[in-house]
Amino acid sequence: MKREKLFKGSLVLIFCMVFMLGILSSAHAAGKYKDYPVPKSCMDQVKKEGGKLYIYDWAEWWPDELFENFSKEFGVKVIRDHYADTEEMVTKIKLNPNAPYDLVLGAGPVDAVRLNEMKLLKQLVHAWLPNMAVYLKDEYKTLDFDPGNKFQFVDSIFYTTYTYNAKYVDENDPLLGSWGLLFNPDKYKGKVTMIDNAQESIGAALKYLGYSWNSDVESELMEAKALLLAQKPKLAAYDSWPSRLLKDEDVWISHLWIGDSWWLSRDKPEIKGIMPKEGTYYAGNTGFIPKGSKHTATAHLFINYLFRTEVNVLLVGWIGYPPVHKHTMEFMSDEMKAWPGFVIDKAYQRKCDTFDRRLVEGRGKELRDKIWEDIKK
């Protein structure tokens, strides 16, 4: 038994070493693309800010190496605080607009728009972001909800899907590959989680029913509510990020973002991702600078660093979310390019919905808030 454990441990260690060597060699190759440092006006301000950067983000997501390398290169101490879900993050900033965070990472457009409309975000200084200007794909510079990226930036793309453990889920199940597996989970009762978020869970129900993720039609939203209420007794939990539950095999199927299936599969290859045949929702993993930032120039220094090609390669190779940097895909492995949701064809993209203001205002938001209140009772 001890020998078996040692052998398995050695395999995991070897896999991790090969994985990291692949990232490092790709990052080295990415050095062929020029780095555009922030201008002197930004660096002068960075020096006045005292060498600290307070980041608010998800735990256990981005590689520690990225933050450590930034600190070593620029002499900036990075202090990170973590939120359990983005609703917690929005509430904290709303209740304390002067919370001393310099940069929020890992949010979505829903959160950025809400906080911006409450006048709780700072405007980006694009003159201090030359790497982003050169390397961010054009389609992410002209988003309808923020033309010109005035108050937010996108660092990668997420698709809301689900992840399953092939040890326990029948891969011949006719519902596998459809949202139907989540909404008809009788075979896996008590082993399924849904994302603890109104937009995500109601959106998935709407998509399964054949409607837009962003629907504000009352009859459609009431159908989604009925579906979720019927599903609720069969769930293990609503969870904002059930990675640990999947990893520990406490649950077998989780409503989750597609990059997390890649992240989890690195040491549990039986964990797999699915892109539901009905389509899904996609948007940018979004960063922004809160109003309470005391180290705003340093935040810009970090954003510019993030869009350095070799740094972006390190990030995307670790998290497994599709890149928005023009050249990062060139350095991704064939294995990653083949992962569900990493490279999306246009036919599937047409089945998907992206951010729409109906999610954050008007009748759509009012109905979602009431539905979610009833579901969570």
Side-chain angles (χ1 to χ4, degrees):
M1 181 63 74
K2 288 183 179 178
R3 183 177 297 173
E4 182 182 347
K5 287 182 178 177
L6 179 63
F7 176 70
K8 288 181 178 178
S10 299
L11 283 178
V12 171
L13 179 60
I14 290 168
F15 178 83
C16 291
M17 289 174 67
V18 170
F19 177 77
M20 288 309 299
L21 283 171
I23 289 178
L24 291 172
S25 61
S26 294
H28 178 73
K32 71 179 184 178
Y33 291 106
K34 185 178 177 181
D35 170 38
Y36 296 87
V38 297
K40 184 177 181 298
S41 59
C42 182
M43 286 307 300
D44 287 346
Q45 185 61 34
V46 167
K47 291 172 185 175
K48 294 177 183 178
E49 290 178 350
K52 291 183 179 179
L53 180 66
Y54 290 86
I55 292 177
Y56 197 23
D57 64 355
W58 294 97
E60 297 182 337
W61 187 32
W62 284 22
D64 289 339
E65 183 184 358
L66 189 153
F67 300 103
E68 291 164 2
N69 289 349
F70 175 79
S71 293
K72 288 176 186 175
E73 181 171 345
F74 295 105
V76 171
K77 182 179 181 181
V78 176
I79 302 100
R80 295 171 66 199
D81 188 12
H82 305 303
Y83 49 79
D85 57 61
T86 57
E87 199 60 42
E88 175 189 312
M89 175 270 294
V90 169
T91 300
K92 189 170 185 177
I93 293 174
K94 179 181 175 181
L95 293 176
N96 183 11
N98 294 313
Y101 297 122
D102 301 306
L103 192 59
V104 173
L105 299 172
V110 170
D111 312 302
V113 169
R114 289 165 65 196
L115 287 168
N116 186 62
E117 290 183 347
M118 289 184 270
K119 303 189 184 305
L120 296 177
L121 302 185
K122 289 191 174 184
Q123 299 281 291
L124 296 178
V125 181
H126 284 275
W128 288 357
L129 300 172
N131 280 331
M132 193 171 90
V134 172
Y135 294 128
L136 180 64
K137 291 179 181 178
D138 291 343
E139 58 262 42
Y140 301 108
K141 297 177 181 178
T142 55
L143 297 166
D144 291 343
F145 65 88
D146 184 24
N149 293 53
K150 294 181 179 66
F151 60 85
Q152 59 77 49
F153 66 94
V154 177
D155 60 65
S156 55
I157 299 299
F158 71 85
Y159 286 83
T160 303
T161 62
Y162 63 88
T163 294
Y164 70 97
N165 188 323
K167 280 173 59 177
Y168 304 105
V169 174
D170 178 6
E171 296 202 280
N172 293 314
D173 192 319
L175 291 175
L176 186 62
S178 164
W179 283 115
L181 191 70
L182 288 181
F183 293 107
N184 299 278
D186 299 277
K187 287 167 63 175
Y188 311 107
K189 186 176 180 180
K191 296 295 181 180
V192 180
T193 62
M194 291 291 287
I195 296 174
D196 191 7
N197 178 279
Q199 288 83 17
E200 297 286 13
S201 286
I202 296 171
L206 285 164
K207 207 66 186 170
Y208 174 56
L209 293 167
Y211 304 129
S212 167
W213 191 283
N214 303 312
S215 175
D216 60 357
V217 177
E218 184 168 3
S219 61
E220 295 175 357
L221 284 160
M222 290 304 107
E223 279 188 65
K225 177 183 178 180
L227 186 63
L228 288 162
L229 286 171
Q231 176 204 44
K232 184 179 176 181
K234 303 170 186 177
L235 296 178
Y238 281 100
D239 196 306
S240 299
W241 194 32
S243 300
R244 286 289 169 205
L245 295 175
L246 272 170
K247 200 169 187 178
D248 295 340
E249 301 183 7
D250 293 326
V251 299
W252 305 337
I253 306 168
S254 284
H255 182 210
L256 206 53
W257 302 280
I258 194 63
D260 291 69
S261 63
W262 166 259
W263 190 85
L264 288 163
S265 74
R266 292 175 307 179
D267 56 5
K268 291 187 78 71
E270 63 272 22
I271 290 181
K272 300 182 180 182
I274 281 291
M275 296 298 286
K277 65 182 183 181
E278 298 90 349
T280 185
Y281 175 82
Y282 72 97
N285 285 310
T286 303
F288 45 80
I289 300 175
K291 179 182 175 182
S293 169
K294 302 295 189 296
H295 308 91
T296 303
T298 310
H300 283 79
L301 178 66
F302 183 88
I303 298 167
N304 195 63
Y305 173 79
L306 179 62
F307 279 91
R308 193 185 289 180
T309 306
E310 66 269 21
V311 175
N312 207 264
V313 168
L314 172 65
L315 172 65
V316 170
W318 179 263
I319 64 174
Y321 283 76
V324 293
H325 186 293
K326 291 177 180 178
H327 302 298
T328 297
M329 191 68 82
E330 299 170 26
F331 303 100
M332 295 296 101
S333 67
D334 291 341
E335 180 188 10
M336 180 167 281
K337 289 176 183 177
W339 196 257
F342 200 75
V343 178
I344 298 292
D345 63 58
K346 291 182 179 179
Y348 186 82
Q349 192 86 52
R350 286 193 289 270
K351 297 181 180 180
C352 299
D353 301 301
T354 191
F355 176 75
D356 185 305
R357 297 191 74 91
R358 287 177 293 171
L359 289 174
V360 296
E361 63 187 26
R363 185 64 174 155
K365 183 179 185 306
E366 290 174 12
L367 287 166
R368 279 173 174 76
D369 288 348
K370 182 63 171 67
I371 289 168
W372 196 238
E373 180 183 335
D374 291 343
I375 288 169
K376 294 301 294 290
K377 284 180 180 176

